[in-house]
Amino acid sequence: MDKILNYINGEMLPPKKDQWLDNYNPSKGEVYSLIPDSDETDIEEALTHAELAFETWRLTSLEERFKVLNRIAELIDANNDMLAVAESMDQGKPVWLAKNEMIRSAQNFRFFATAAMQFASESHNMEGHAINYTLRQPIGVVGCISPWNLPLYLFTWKIAPALAAGNCVIAKPSEITPMTAFLLSEICREAGLPKGVLNIVHGLGPKVGNAMVSHPRIKAISFTGGTSTGKHIAAIAAPMFKKLSLELGGKNPNIIFADCDFDKALKTTVQSSFMNQGEICLCGSRILIERSIYNKFRDALIKEVAQMKVGDPLDKETKVGAIVSKMHFEKVLSYIELAKQEGGNILLGGTSLQMQGAHGAGWYIAPTIIENLAYDCRTNTEEIFGPVVTIIPFDTDAEALTIANCTEYGLASSIWTNNLTRAHKVAAGIQSGIVWINCWLLRDLRTPFGGVKQSGVGREGGWEAMKFFTEAKNVCIKL
Ligand code: NAD
């Protein structure tokens, strides 16, 4: 059985206690590799090396940092096919989607490689009395913890700015999808990233992840994952005054007004509902439809979604792959049962799917559309994070906003209308960190990315990320 290894001080190492976890291929429901079940002793070792490496890395010229991060980007691009197949097998996502995510993973490194060269700080002149300038210095050794839904894409989205800003990093990918982080270790070695600058430690969240969060010498934590994990991490890190960036769950509304471009709204809603099996924090899982087009939109949506091919992620025709784990598969199915108990009418799907042959034991759920639920019931307010959407009619802009804002989450939203005034008003009134108007998942990496309410604290992206991974120090010189 293949073994994934930790990447510590530039070496590929087994966990110190030689304990291992099973890694599943969700499309077949079978174990296909082993991953380190690391603990605090592995973190201690990684930290010793990272602290030593920091003394050199923080003084490495911006151009040198740029060069090595850019080489990593180029190697990710050069290995796109191999990485995409590995991601697809590990996560269950269709391989065509994994290829796009590998492109984005390379972009993350390229974007922040250039940011390292462009980042600058402010100066404030006190009219002949004094000059202040701001030093933005790297923090030291920082921790990056990422989830299973967009494994390499979100892992690199954290690591790249942390390194660009001059920090050394201990990073932990999800134990459910460790493979591409492991392959990234090899890429970093090939790119010539100095030893100890990046350390990748695999294992369970409550064990090795917890060891990272509670270690006093890991000075900042950038976390993406579930809201309940985020709460736990905040409770440990806050008394230590660690810098924290938390990107958490979502229950995003997709508001379709009658005056929208119907075909574009429909096509994009199919994607925003079911891309990556609905396992994207930005997926629109509540589709709010203005009543005058409710029936037309509902029927067209059912027709489109019914044609989506569910199955083997490595089959190029597949639109919806496997659910990432048995535990998550059961969680999603339990929410479908809850929706029925809450009076929901299953318009499409609503069941697991049994594949043939080698994929017979894989975890698949039919794309599911549900209507007739109260807008504030549990199904409509809790995160399901699977191929399940609800549709809800509304009559006025104010009612659409009430429904959109009725959850504890506030990550993303999308609004479909050709009325400019309405678009601006609804965008201003909606409680989410990201609003897309007549589009979805259109990303400019310079923009602030993050959520409000229980969807998180802090922002990633562009200068926001560079600022998070540095400490600002004001230096005041009296003239
Ligand atoms: P999760 O919270 O279970 O795990 C995320 C990561 O945290 C994993 O690496 C896990 O091992 C680690 N972890 C778990 N317990 C820990 C602990 N006690 N201490 C330290 N680390 C710990 O989340 P998940 O199930 O992997 O991911 C799905 C969730 O992530 C969904 O809620 C989704 O909305 C959210 N998400 C949010 C964003 C965003 O940008 N806001 C992006 C993607 C996913």
Side-chain angles (χ1 to χ4, degrees), residues 145-447:
I145 301 177
S146 58
W148 49 254
N149 63 322
L150 308 172
L152 195 65
Y153 172 133
L154 289 176
F155 196 59
T156 53
W157 180 233
K158 297 182 176 303
I159 291 169
L163 296 176
N167 302 283
C168 288
V169 176
I170 300 180
K172 193 196 91 61
S174 169
E175 59 274 35
I176 299 169
T177 52
M179 187 54 87
T180 45
F182 170 57
L183 298 171
L184 179 70
S185 319
E186 295 289 0
I187 285 177
C188 290
R189 278 153 60 101
E190 198 181 332
L193 186 69
K195 290 182 176 188
V197 168
L198 171 63
N199 304 275
I200 301 175
V201 183
H202 295 270
L204 298 169
K207 191 170 172 182
V208 73
N210 205 59
M212 287 169 68
V213 175
S214 48
H215 202 299
R217 298 202 324 271
I218 298 181
K219 296 187 182 143
I221 295 288
S222 173
F223 169 80
T224 300
T227 293
S228 60
T229 315
K231 274 185 197 162
H232 178 79
I233 287 176
I236 295 174
M240 301 164 100
F241 304 106
K242 283 193 189 200
K243 258 189 136 176
L244 266 187
S245 165
L246 300 173
E247 299 291 340
L248 310 175
K251 186 75 177 176
N252 309 309
N254 190 359
I255 309 177
I256 320 275
F257 287 98
D259 62 10
C260 70
D261 180 324
F262 188 94
D263 292 340
K264 279 191 191 148
L266 178 67
K267 193 168 163 241
T268 309
T269 299
V270 172
Q271 291 178 352
S272 68
S273 302
F274 299 108
M275 187 183 280
N276 204 40
Q277 301 73 247
E279 298 163 339
I280 303 181
C281 54
L282 306 166
C283 276
S285 52
R286 294 179 294 149
I287 305 170
L288 283 50
I289 309 165
E290 193 167 349
R291 198 176 302 275
S292 59
I293 59 161
Y294 182 83
N295 288 351
K296 183 180 168 201
F297 195 89
R298 175 196 60 196
D299 296 347
L301 183 68
I302 294 170
K303 192 170 164 217
E304 288 291 318
V305 176
Q307 291 166 19
M308 296 180 94
K309 183 171 181 219
V310 184
D312 177 7
L314 295 179
D315 178 343
K316 291 196 176 73
E317 300 299 311
T318 293
K319 293 285 186 289
V320 178
I323 303 296
V324 72
S325 68
K326 185 157 191 287
M327 204 168 98
H328 193 59
F329 170 79
E330 284 165 0
K331 177 189 155 183
V332 175
L333 290 176
S334 77
Y335 268 104
I336 295 173
E337 283 312 306
L338 175 70
K340 289 182 196 160
Q341 286 162 24
E342 290 185 317
N345 179 20
I346 311 283
L347 297 171
L348 189 73
T351 58
S352 60
L353 292 175
Q354 171 80 46
M355 297 295 144
Q356 299 301 313
H359 298 92
W363 305 306
Y364 298 88
I365 295 178
T368 297
I369 303 174
I370 308 172
E371 72 170 356
N372 200 36
L373 284 162
Y375 72 83
D376 56 355
C377 69
R378 282 185 57 202
T379 311
N380 266 330
T381 53
E382 295 179 14
E383 186 183 44
I384 301 175
F385 214 52
V388 179
V389 294
T390 59
I391 54 175
I392 309 166
F394 69 88
D395 290 299
T396 63
D397 296 13
E399 193 191 358
L401 273 176
T402 302
I403 299 172
N405 291 339
C406 85
T407 79
E408 289 302 322
Y409 295 107
L411 185 56
S413 53
S414 63
I415 300 167
W416 291 86
T417 177
N418 278 324
N419 179 330
L420 193 60
T421 306
R422 165 182 279 158
H424 287 305
K425 281 189 174 167
V426 176
I430 212 156
Q431 295 164 354
S432 68
I434 302 151
V435 182
W436 279 291
I437 297 175
N438 297 330
C439 59
W440 176 71
L441 207 49
L442 186 55
R443 294 279 293 116
D444 178 330
L445 303 188
R446 295 169 299 181
T447 59

Side-chain angles (χ1 to χ4, degrees), residues 120-124 132-136 471-475:
S121 60
E122 310 84 355
S123 125
H124 300 87
N132 296 274
Y133 64 89
T134 308
L135 278 180
R136 291 196 183 273
E471 288 283 15
K473 179 187 286 175
N474 186 63
V475 181

Side-chain angles (χ1 to χ4, degrees), residues 93-139:
K93 66 181 73 234
V95 70
W96 57 265
L97 181 60
K99 283 178 77 69
N100 294 343
E101 291 177 16
M102 296 308 112
I103 293 171
R104 169 61 194 273
S105 303
Q107 283 170 345
N108 289 340
F109 271 105
R110 193 170 296 116
F111 177 83
F112 284 109
T114 61
M117 302 264 293
Q118 308 287 338
F119 192 43
S121 60
E122 310 84 355
S123 125
H124 300 87
N125 185 9
M126 296 174 74
E127 292 157 10
H129 299 295
I131 296 175
N132 296 274
Y133 64 89
T134 308
L135 278 180
R136 291 196 183 273
Q137 297 175 306
I139 301 170

